[in-house]
Amino acid sequence: MPSLRARDIPNLITGLRLLLVPPILWLLWHDDHGAALLLFLIAGASDALDGALARGFHWQSRLGGILDPIADKSLLVGCFLVLGAGGELPLWLVALVLGRDLVIVLGAAAWHWLIGALEARPSLISKLNTFMQLAVVLAVLLSHGATPLPDWLLRLLEWTMALTTLWSGIDYVWHWSRLARRHVRGEVAG
């Protein structure tokens, strides 16, 4: 059994964050928004901590590059599904989030099968979209678990997130389609 090294700490934190997803979703399903909020905040803090450690000490790894987005997407998609099923988020918004992610996953799979290895870095609009998704989930959890937020604020966050979701999805399709065409024409090295 390999020994734990300091450079493994970010991956360990990410793994623990991934383990928080089922309890958060269970708590949401059972309308315990206060406890879900607490675990969601811990998950968010762990995401910031593992990223800071990985970058600060140059402990980035291939495993971390795979686990981190899986942990983030599992948490966000799971929260959107449960909050949508519970009527706390509109189903059209949940469908938009899932649709965008499905398009990205299918596009990445097609790239991998047809062109080769994919090393994607999230664009600025994608990072903004992730921030807005987190803000929407956090606002719903706060509103149901700690202090009610004004309905207009929740709707504003939802519509802003819907716009960034659309923009991010279109940006991904446009950017990667353009790169694929250039690759096919031989303008980009494999």
Side-chain angles (χ1 to χ4, degrees), residues 85-183:
E88 294 158 316
L89 283 175
L91 292 179
W92 65 264
L93 189 61
V94 175
L96 183 64
V97 168
L98 295 176
R100 172 198 171 266
D101 287 350
L102 182 62
V103 165
I104 291 171
V105 167
L106 291 175
W111 181 279
H112 180 77
W113 288 323
L114 299 172
I115 295 174
L118 175 69
E119 286 203 32
R121 290 191 184 0
S123 64
L124 184 59
I125 185 58
S126 179
K127 289 179 182 184
L128 176 60
N129 180 246
T130 299
F131 174 80
M132 288 307 305
Q133 287 182 0
L134 288 168
V136 166
V137 171
L138 185 58
V140 170
L141 293 179
L142 277 171
S143 192
H144 291 279
T147 183
L149 298 177
D151 193 53
W152 67 265
L153 178 59
L154 294 172
R155 296 302 80 76
L156 177 65
L157 288 170
E158 289 170 1
W159 280 101
T160 303
M161 191 207 79
L163 290 173
T164 63
T165 300
L166 283 171
W167 185 3
S168 172
I170 291 167
D171 180 65
Y172 268 110
V173 170
W174 181 80
H175 176 77
W176 288 100
S177 296
R178 192 171 52 99
L179 279 179
R181 282 191 303 274
R182 288 179 58 204
H183 188 285

Side-chain angles (χ1 to χ4, degrees), residues 18-121:
L18 197 52
L19 291 176
L20 284 176
V21 173
I24 291 170
L25 300 181
W26 187 86
L27 289 166
L28 285 177
W29 187 255
H30 293 286
D31 294 324
D32 192 346
H33 292 82
L37 173 62
L38 176 63
L39 290 183
F40 190 82
L41 292 173
I42 291 169
S46 76
D47 190 21
L49 178 61
D50 70 40
L53 289 172
R55 285 185 302 278
F57 292 101
H58 304 289
W59 290 342
Q60 293 101 332
S61 68
R62 181 160 168 72
L63 178 62
I66 294 168
L67 282 182
D68 190 65
I70 288 173
D72 294 345
K73 274 297 162 192
S74 297
L75 179 59
L76 281 173
V77 168
C79 285
F80 273 94
L81 285 170
V82 173
L83 292 172
E88 294 158 316
L89 283 175
L91 292 179
W92 65 264
L93 189 61
V94 175
L96 183 64
V97 168
L98 295 176
R100 172 198 171 266
D101 287 350
L102 182 62
V103 165
I104 291 171
V105 167
L106 291 175
W111 181 279
H112 180 77
W113 288 323
L114 299 172
I115 295 174
L118 175 69
E119 286 203 32
R121 290 191 184 0

